[in-house]
């Protein structure tokens, strides 16, 4: 992959990340449509890290409050809303990270195909529609419990092949369940 291709793919990732579509799918489809070589999962992870950096910068105040409360909760065992949310994000992310490390090769070789992308897009579109229609119209990220954290973590693990699919499934569980990470 040359520098031009890397810039185009990074722009695709950045522009599509905050839309309810899979930016990961776009990182797979753009090379297919342009006859470029597949850049591989490592590149995808790198551009997702760029997105993560932007999100952390944007939410730095909220994240600082969460981290501060989380650290205080370690010593005092008292958990305010911010500490509970921090624990939920942490515990809900661990299974995703472990499975990503364990199944890295399978994900890269078997799940980066247009058929998987098409099936996931159709399926998640239907689930998002259902969650939007049937789920509560108000949600609060501070209403976490162990069951919601476990379900969201499981949903993300089941959909590890595209990070946005995991985000979309988390959204479904949050909407249907009335809260979540």
């Amino acid at each position: 992959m040359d520098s031009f291709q890397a810039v185009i793919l990074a722009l695709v990732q950045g522009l599509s990340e905050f839309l309810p579509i899979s930016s990961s799918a776009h990182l797979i489809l753009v090379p297919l449509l342009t006859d470029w070589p597949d850049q591989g999962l490592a590149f995808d992870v790198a551009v997702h890290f760029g997105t993560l950096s932007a999100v952390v910068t944007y939410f730095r105040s909220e994240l600082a409050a969460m981290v501060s409360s989380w650290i205080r909760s370690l010593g005092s065992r008292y958990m305010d809303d911010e500490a509970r949310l921090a624990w939920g994000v942490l515990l809900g992310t661990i299974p995703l990270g472990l499975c990503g490390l364990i199944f890295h090769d399978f994900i890269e070789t078997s799940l980066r195909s247009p058929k998987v992308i098409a099936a996931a897009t159709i399926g998640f579109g239907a689930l998002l529609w259902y969650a939007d229609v049937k789920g509560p119209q108000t949600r609060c990220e501070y209403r976490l419990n162990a069951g919601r954290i476990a379900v969201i973590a499981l949903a993300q693990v089941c959909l590890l092949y595209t990070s946005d699919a995991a985000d979309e499934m988390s959204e479904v569980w949050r909407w249907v369940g009335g809260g979540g990470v």
Side-chain angles (χ1 to χ4, degrees):
M1 167 180 21
D2 62 33
S3 297
F4 174 76
Q5 293 167 346
V7 168
I8 295 300
L9 290 172
L11 286 171
V12 166
Q13 163 65 19
L15 294 173
S16 62
E17 181 62 35
F18 297 103
L19 300 173
I21 55 176
S22 176
S23 62
S24 298
H26 286 91
L27 291 175
I28 296 167
L29 293 176
V30 168
L32 285 173
L33 296 173
T34 58
D35 203 30
W36 295 347
D38 185 336
Q39 70 279 0
L41 190 57
F43 179 85
D44 292 3
V45 170
V47 294
H48 278 90
F49 184 76
T51 301
L52 174 63
S53 299
V55 169
V56 166
T57 300
Y58 183 82
F59 288 108
R60 64 187 171 275
S61 299
E62 292 89 342
L63 291 169
M66 287 170 57
V67 169
S68 176
S69 290
W70 179 78
I71 290 170
R72 279 194 307 276
S73 77
L74 293 174
S76 69
R77 295 197 179 260
Y78 167 76
M79 285 198 287
D80 60 9
D81 286 343
E82 298 294 337
R84 246 186 316 283
L85 181 59
W87 276 108
V89 169
L90 179 66
L91 295 174
T93 303
I94 290 172
L96 179 67
L98 290 175
C99 287
L101 290 173
I102 294 167
F103 297 110
H104 170 270
D105 291 335
F106 174 74
I107 293 166
E108 184 163 25
T109 58
S110 302
L111 298 178
R112 294 172 55 86
S113 76
K115 289 180 183 176
V116 171
I117 293 167
T121 301
I122 292 166
F124 300 135
L127 285 172
L128 284 168
W129 171 81
Y130 179 81
D132 192 38
V133 170
K134 297 292 185 184
Q137 298 304 306
T138 59
R139 295 171 295 283
C140 177
E141 67 269 17
Y142 296 108
R143 293 189 316 184
L144 288 171
N145 61 37
R148 285 192 180 128
I149 293 168
V151 167
I152 291 169
L154 177 63
Q156 291 185 107
V157 166
C158 290
L159 302 163
L160 190 59
Y161 55 91
T162 72
S163 64
D164 296 312
D167 294 342
E168 291 162 3
M169 186 51 108
S170 295
E171 246 348 90
V172 169
W173 284 112
R174 284 185 358 189
W175 289 1
V176 171
V181 178

